[in-house]
């Protein structure tokens, strides 16, 4: 169990992270604070908070963003893809994780969400 915040205090519908077969699967993380409330901001601010939530979860398992092997990114407004691609390398270094990016798929209340898969260190 992880102490990561969950949107709207959602505690019953998903696990923030699951360990299976040497991998940590981190559920979608949005710009949510410790109380589970959505924190709106610029695209960049929401991306930072979302990735900070991922960092927190990975850190609880002794991992960091360098252990991520797969990223699922969800960008509400396709116009934010330029900013997303620019900022992505602030967080992930070569060899870059495999990545899928989907746009126009989030509710209007959030601009960005991310899920990751990380390899457990041996």
């Amino acid at each position: 169990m992880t102490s990561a915040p969950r949107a709207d205090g959602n505690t019953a519908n998903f696990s923030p992270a699951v360990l299976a077969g040497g991998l940590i699967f981190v559920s979608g993380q949005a710009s949510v604070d410790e109380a589970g409330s959505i924190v709106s901001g610029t695209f960049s601010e929401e991306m930072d908070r979302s990735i900070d939530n991922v960092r927190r979860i990975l850190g609880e398992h002794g991992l960091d963003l360098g252990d991520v092997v797969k990223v699922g990114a969800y960008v509400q407004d396709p116009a934010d893809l330029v900013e997303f691609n620019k900022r992505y390398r602030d967080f992930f270094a070569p060899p870059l994780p495999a990545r899928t990016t989907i746009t126009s798929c989030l509710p209007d209340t959030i601009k960005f969400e991310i899920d990751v898969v990380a390899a457990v260190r041996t």
Side-chain angles (χ1 to χ4, degrees), residues 41-62:
T42 65
F43 177 82
S44 188
E45 290 167 342
E46 289 195 23
M47 185 175 177
D48 287 346
R49 183 177 293 276
S50 300
I51 292 176
D52 283 346
N53 289 339
V54 169
R55 278 187 176 127
R56 179 182 301 159
I57 293 168
L58 292 174
E60 290 178 3
H61 296 277

Side-chain angles (χ1 to χ4, degrees), residues 46-104:
E46 289 195 23
M47 185 175 177
D48 287 346
R49 183 177 293 276
S50 300
I51 292 176
D52 283 346
N53 289 339
V54 169
R55 278 187 176 127
R56 179 182 301 159
I57 293 168
L58 292 174
E60 290 178 3
H61 296 277
L63 304 174
D64 59 37
L65 294 178
D67 298 302
V68 172
V69 296
K70 173 73 169 82
V71 170
Y74 310 90
V75 178
Q76 177 55 25
D77 185 346
D80 287 326
L81 283 173
V82 171
E83 181 71 11
F84 168 67
N85 284 317
K86 178 181 170 189
R87 298 285 325 284
Y88 187 78
R89 286 186 179 244
D90 292 343
F91 303 104
F92 299 102
L96 295 169
R99 185 179 101 183
T100 300
T101 305
I102 301 171
T103 64
S104 307

Side-chain angles (χ1 to χ4, degrees), residues 24-28 54 58 65 68 70-72 92 114-118:
I24 298 277
F25 296 81
V26 178
S27 294
V54 169
L58 292 174
L65 294 178
V68 172
K70 173 73 169 82
V71 170
F92 299 102
I114 185 171
D115 61 65
V116 303
V117 177

Side-chain angles (χ1 to χ4, degrees), residues 7-29:
D8 301 321
N10 188 347
T11 58
N13 294 326
F14 71 94
S15 297
V18 174
L19 173 62
L23 299 171
I24 298 277
F25 296 81
V26 178
S27 294
Q29 299 298 309

